[in-house]
Amino acid sequence: MNILILGSGGREHTFAWKIAQSSKCEKLFVAPGNSGTAEVATNVNISVTDFPAIKKLVIENHINMVVVGPEDPLVQGVHDFFLNDEALKAISVIGPQMKAAELEGSKEFAKEFLFRHNIPTAAYESFTKETVENGYVFLETLNPPYVLKADGLAAGKGVVILNDLDDAKAELKSMLVDAKFGQASTKVVIEEFLDGIELSCFVLTDGEHYKILPTAKDYKRIGEGDTGLNTGGMGAVSPVPFATNEFLNKIEERIVKPTIAGFKKDNLPYVGFVFIGLIKVGNDPKVIEYNVRMGDPETEVVLPRLKNDFVEILQAMASGTLDKINIEIEERAATTIMTVSGGYPEAYEKGKIITGVDAITDSIPFHAGAQIKDGNIVTSGGRVMAITSYGNTYQEAIKKSYQSIEKLHFDKIYYRKDIGFDL
Ligand code: AMP
Ligand code: GLY
């Protein structure tokens, strides 16, 4: 079959790398893709939200399946667009329909879903410009730190955690009254702060059945020791050492099962990946957020540990036969270290020539913000390349990734040297 992947990051390179290994895939396209996807697929320079252009590409190339990487096209209804078009409706789309994508598109929608289905999560209330005064009063009833979340998509920047009550009130005003995050902060969710260590759980579903992929932990802050600004993710480890079988069981029983059952009860059409952001409070998992896609850079450690033919799994998701699939997981650990452009997540320069990629033999370099220009691989984003390695232990895998990074060069390269420090 012919497959199209939408997206251009490390997650999409990993999808392409894994799909290209399947004998079931004839032609593989990535839109828009990067220098890594170009090695295993045909890149087509169209935006992930340009649905008419995607339609043309799909029809011209007899594409049978579309795998959606990022959340934007899902929240904007790419799956619905296919279902509502006579020429496209028979094509499989991996990713939830718009109504279900609201689980990531709206924090309030996600909190209501969690409470409706008795899934453990932080207590919350939500506020608008009209009820900002009530928001101040609610903040006064909470203990610090204060967690404020813009309801809509805010490019990963919409969550603000503050220690001081006056700062929290000022932030609430800035979000609601001064529209700090534009449309995204017309509503704000204020949450109880949960204290614990975070991990991510990835679930595949065909809407009826589910399969759980390996857990992973990512490192979101730019600085060592989890300090400084939030990023898209600076590294990841799978499996998560503290996620014992007993803990995984709790996640499945208390969170995964009611989540999948909730999709059905609420009529949320869901064929795709469910990324459940969790926090371990004491010995219990609580949900921090849902994402309706795979994580990045978690994908760069989760998919390399999947032994199955990925296309077979995707087909089973599309055809409602996921129960027939037996997920096989690599015993070894996988880790990834993200190399980024100096200055990221604030301003940084692009177009720096990347050398040494071919010299990396003990790790897999997954390209993220990297493109081919005039025959060179050059940086084109903040997160540039994720260096993934296997190891008998996560420590061994991390060591390998750091050794491989020694071979990689571009001006102002930065990466965290302490991935895994807290495990
Ligand atoms: P989110 O975008 O919802 O994943 O939030 C971003 C980050 O904020 C999470 O990865 C957590 O580190 C933190 N966070 C969100 N909600 C809470 C909470 N209720 N308690 C503690 N930390 C939180
Ligand atoms: N690494 C976190 C995310 O993909 O949202």
Side-chain angles (χ1 to χ4, degrees):
M1 66 191 309
N2 297 337
I3 300 174
L4 167 67
I5 301 168
L6 296 182
S8 61
R11 166 183 49 215
E12 287 76 21
H13 183 197
T14 314
F15 279 170
W17 167 85
K18 187 74 180 152
I19 289 174
Q21 292 169 32
S22 168
S23 59
K24 294 186 153 43
C25 178
E26 281 165 56
K27 288 192 191 148
L28 181 59
F29 298 85
V30 186
N34 62 28
S35 49
T37 62
E39 288 170 6
V40 288
T42 304
N43 284 350
V44 186
N45 193 16
I46 55 179
S47 149
V48 296
T49 49
D50 186 348
F51 298 168
I54 293 170
K55 173 175 176 176
K56 193 161 165 269
L57 174 70
V58 163
I59 291 182
E60 281 175 4
N61 294 286
H62 308 284
I63 282 163
N64 311 95
M65 176 184 280
V66 180
V67 182
V68 186
E71 64 278 15
D72 265 342
L74 295 168
V75 172
Q76 291 184 31
V78 69
H79 196 155
D80 311 65
F81 175 83
F82 272 68
L83 289 173
N84 293 330
D85 189 302
E86 274 309 310
L88 298 177
K89 70 178 188 197
I91 293 160
S92 306
V93 178
I94 305 296
Q97 290 172 50
M98 200 171 179
K99 225 172 115 189
E102 274 296 277
L103 286 168
E104 178 162 359
S106 161
K107 303 270 184 206
E108 186 185 46
F109 182 87
K111 294 301 285 191
E112 286 171 351
F113 176 89
L114 287 160
F115 272 83
R116 190 158 56 242
H117 300 293
N118 288 313
I119 302 169
T121 187
Y124 80 106
E125 278 194 38
S126 55
F127 302 93
T128 60
K129 196 169 155 181
E130 286 68 39
T131 57
V132 65
E133 296 290 335
N134 302 347
Y136 300 151
V137 175
F138 182 63
L139 282 169
E140 284 165 13
T141 67
L142 298 175
N143 294 319
Y146 305 95
V147 183
L148 279 68
K149 300 186 173 185
D151 178 61
L153 291 183
K157 297 194 172 67
V159 176
V160 182
I161 301 181
L162 295 163
N163 284 310
D164 182 82
L165 180 61
D166 288 331
D167 291 347
K169 287 181 179 174
E171 181 65 30
L172 183 66
K173 175 172 177 286
S174 153
M175 283 187 180
L176 288 175
V177 182
D178 310 329
K180 178 174 175 185
F181 297 107
Q183 271 289 103
S185 63
T186 0
K187 256 187 217 160
V188 171
V189 168
I190 301 179
E191 268 189 25
E192 161 200 16
F193 180 81
L194 298 175
D195 198 8
I197 188 161
E198 286 178 54
L199 74 157
S200 306
C201 169
F202 299 95
V203 183
L204 308 170
T205 184
D206 58 12
E208 180 79 35
H209 317 97
Y210 69 87
K211 294 285 168 181
I212 301 180
L213 291 173
T215 51
K217 183 176 193 319
D218 87 336
Y219 291 80
K220 289 204 176 89
R221 302 293 197 91
I222 188 71
E224 278 149 27
D226 285 341
T227 54
L229 292 174
N230 254 322
T231 71
M234 296 296 291
V237 175
S238 177
V240 179
F242 61 82
T244 58
N245 280 337
E246 188 197 349
F247 189 67
L248 292 174
N249 252 335
K250 287 184 188 171
I251 295 175
E252 180 163 8
E253 292 304 319
R254 299 178 191 175
I255 293 167
V256 176
K257 283 185 181 170
T259 295
I260 303 297
F263 294 164
K264 280 188 69 181
K265 277 188 206 148
D266 293 356
N267 260 318
L268 300 176
Y270 210 121
V271 169
F273 306 97
V274 195
F275 166 166
I276 312 179
L278 298 168
I279 190 157
K280 181 171 180 263
V281 183
N283 269 319
D284 295 317
K286 293 198 179 195
V287 176
I288 290 208
E289 63 168 347
Y290 287 113
N291 294 307
V292 296
R293 53 175 173 82
M294 284 296 291
D296 192 352
E298 291 94 326
T299 304
E300 288 92 307
V301 295
V302 171
L303 283 195
R305 296 190 60 230
L306 182 68
K307 289 200 204 160
N308 301 61
D309 181 321
F310 194 38
V311 176
E312 246 170 54
I313 295 183
L314 296 170
Q315 281 178 318
M317 286 161 74
S319 63
T321 54
L322 200 52
D323 55 323
K324 304 285 186 298
I325 296 281
N326 185 23
I327 299 280
E328 289 174 68
I329 300 302
E330 165 73 52
E331 285 287 322
R332 288 178 299 170
T335 62
T336 201
I337 313 291
M338 189 63 83
T339 59
V340 307
S341 301
Y344 172 80
E346 297 185 277
Y348 56 85
E349 293 165 30
K350 296 182 189 175
K352 308 285 186 190
I353 293 178
I354 305 170
T355 58
V357 185
D358 289 340
I360 296 175
T361 47
D362 287 345
S363 307
I364 314 167
F366 288 118
H367 301 212
Q371 294 285 349
I372 295 169
K373 198 178 163 202
D374 303 329
N376 293 310
I377 305 176
V378 302
T379 65
S380 63
R383 295 193 294 166
V384 173
M385 213 170 274
I387 309 300
T388 294
S389 312
Y390 293 104
N392 291 319
T393 60
Y394 74 86
Q395 292 94 332
E396 195 182 298
I398 287 172
K399 202 168 149 199
K400 252 196 232 172
S401 286
Y402 284 126
Q403 283 166 351
S404 294
I405 290 178
E406 294 288 315
K407 299 177 179 161
L408 187 70
H409 302 282
F410 56 87
D411 186 31
K412 302 200 175 77
I413 185 173
Y414 170 79
Y415 53 94
R416 270 180 65 170
K417 316 225 170 17
D418 69 339
I419 298 303
F421 80 99
D422 54 344
L423 298 175

